[in-house]
Amino acid sequence: MIDTHAHIDDPQYLDDLPGFIAQQQAEGVEAILVPGVDVSSIVPVMDVCRQFPGYLYPAIGLHPENISEDWMSQLEQIEDILKTHARDYIAIGEIGLDYHFDTTFKKEQQVALHKQTEWAMQYDLPVMIHNRDATEDCLNILKVYRGLRGVMHCFSGSNETAKRIVDMGLYLGIGGVITFKNCKLRENLVGIPLERLVLETDAPYMAPVPYRGKRNESRWMRYAASVLSEVYQTPIEHVYEVTTANAKALFRLK
């Protein structure tokens, strides 16, 4: 298994990071990708990833919920880092649009998504896309960039939306949400090839049933994989094999 999205730089993991990593490895997690969310996260993300090279992989980006008055300055700082250190990063992310709580910086979010997607194209990196209550705007922006590689993080949308995303050549990130009682994602994956899915956690958030409400862990991807095994009527080992190959192809992991 590869966890394509986990915030391992979160302070909740730092008291015993070596022990935490050892436990994930012992239960079949081959690698964990660690997204950035703003300028302040750059150093913490790189610090944890440098402790486990070849296992933890850093991404860099400005999360839409972190776009405020200083958004332009943050983008400039991130761009400066990419100019000299783009090869240090596995992806541009976590980026996207989020209109759920506040639309004060709606236009700025859109400009920032355009800008960061341009970086992804420039540096040949995939994107990790956060989309909440902004599907039409998000897809309308992404479709401009032909050949873009990336994943729609924490996907929980409709079947129609899923088809539109995979038709653009992007992957769907499947995590703990699919285990929730009222989640319709099982039905909404009908017609979506397993070859367009990757596993993720969004740790420490979005823990699956039966750990809902607790600090999430990469090893618990097996619960989402179990549901996918039912949806696609295939052994869970096949789900692991295909989603791992998908992650390696998307993020160009060896």
Side-chain angles (χ1 to χ4, degrees), residues 132-198:
R132 184 159 56 166
D133 295 346
T135 297
E136 288 304 315
D137 284 349
C138 192
L139 296 186
N140 283 337
I141 290 172
L142 297 178
K143 71 181 183 182
V144 172
Y145 301 92
R146 296 186 181 276
L148 178 69
R149 295 183 293 124
V151 56
M152 190 63 70
H153 156 60
C154 200
F155 181 76
S156 60
S158 69
N159 181 254
E160 177 190 1
T161 299
K163 289 178 178 177
R164 291 171 64 189
I165 292 168
V166 300
D167 284 348
M168 292 168 59
L170 303 178
Y171 290 77
L172 304 178
I174 307 298
V177 172
I178 200 171
T179 69
F180 295 175
K181 182 178 180 180
N182 296 322
C183 179
K184 297 181 179 180
L185 191 52
R186 294 170 175 84
E187 304 95 280
N188 291 342
L189 288 176
V190 172
I192 303 300
L194 183 59
E195 288 74 17
R196 302 310 300 177
L197 307 183
V198 294

Side-chain angles (χ1 to χ4, degrees), residues 71 75 79 110-120 145:
W71 70 281
L75 286 181
E79 186 172 24
Q110 294 171 10
V111 173
L113 178 55
H114 268 294
K115 184 65 174 176
Q116 294 180 97
T117 306
E118 289 171 3
W119 296 340
Y145 301 92

Side-chain angles (χ1 to χ4, degrees), residues 3 28 43 61 68 79 83 86 104 107 114 116 121 137 198 228:
D3 188 348
V43 171
S68 56
E79 186 172 24
K83 286 176 180 177
T104 302
K107 293 301 294 185
H114 268 294
Q116 294 180 97
M121 299 297 291
D137 284 349
V198 294
L228 291 176

Side-chain angles (χ1 to χ4, degrees), residues 5 14 19 30 69 94 120 138 151-152 182 194 201 212 216 221 248-249:
H5 197 112
L14 301 185
E30 296 182 31
E69 287 84 358
E94 177 178 356
C138 192
V151 56
M152 190 63 70
N182 296 322
L194 183 59
T201 59
R212 194 170 181 182
N216 205 354
M221 288 186 292
K248 288 181 176 179

